[in-house]
Amino acid sequence: MTSHQSTQTMKPATAAKKLGVYLEATPAEFREGVVSRAELNALQADPPQWLRDLRRDGPHPRPVVAAKLGVSISGLARGGITEPLTTEQIEALKQERPEWLERERATQGEVRKETARLKQRKAESADH
């Protein structure tokens, strides 16, 4: 008996998400095909120029924009940011420091503190 392993493939949207890039900014051949697990691993291990450029300059998808700004995705929406942003636009927001960004960063900081507190509490109760 021989074992046959089928090739796992994913939609371009899934691959773009895993690569942390905005699908609409990827080359047409990427958007129009399917991506195998091996191809995804190859893209991650040795990114082609288009992928390096996208990761460096954007436009970036909302999860990446949120992480670069230090806020949640919901915080972006509350701040009126619903479209992908370039690295230049993100840096400009960091410089401008609009009120919504400062408020959302503070909120995110509180969420992180509470998460850490709950994790610590859980660890302490597991020890007893």
Side-chain angles (χ1 to χ4, degrees):
M1 239 167 68
T2 59
S3 68
H4 177 71
Q5 185 177 6
S6 64
T7 304
Q8 272 189 316
T9 60
M10 61 193 83
K11 294 178 183 176
T14 303
K17 190 174 190 176
K18 290 179 181 290
L19 292 169
V21 295
Y22 181 55
L23 177 63
E24 299 307 314
T26 61
E29 59 270 15
F30 180 86
R31 289 192 311 268
E32 293 164 3
V34 294
V35 181
S36 71
R37 173 67 58 193
E39 289 169 329
L40 178 69
N41 291 341
L43 287 170
Q44 290 172 321
D46 186 21
Q49 189 62 47
W50 66 262
L51 182 54
R52 289 195 301 267
D53 292 345
L54 266 181
R55 285 178 167 168
R56 183 185 63 242
D57 302 325
H60 303 287
R62 287 181 307 150
V64 174
V65 173
K68 287 178 179 278
L69 289 174
V71 300
S72 67
I73 295 172
S74 300
L76 279 181
R78 286 189 292 269
I81 306 295
T82 58
E83 296 297 316
L85 298 180
T86 63
T87 299
E88 187 177 315
Q89 290 168 313
I90 292 168
E91 291 305 316
L93 275 173
K94 286 180 178 178
Q95 295 297 315
E96 293 166 17
R97 300 174 69 118
E99 182 189 332
W100 72 265
L101 181 57
E102 294 301 308
R103 186 175 58 249
E104 292 299 334
R105 281 181 166 173
T107 299
Q108 192 70 5
E110 291 301 316
V111 168
R112 285 190 191 107
K113 279 188 214 169
E114 181 65 8
T115 301
R117 185 186 71 77
L118 292 173
K119 185 176 178 182
Q120 178 67 32
R121 195 165 125 195
K122 185 176 180 181
E124 287 170 359
S125 67
D127 290 342
H128 296 304

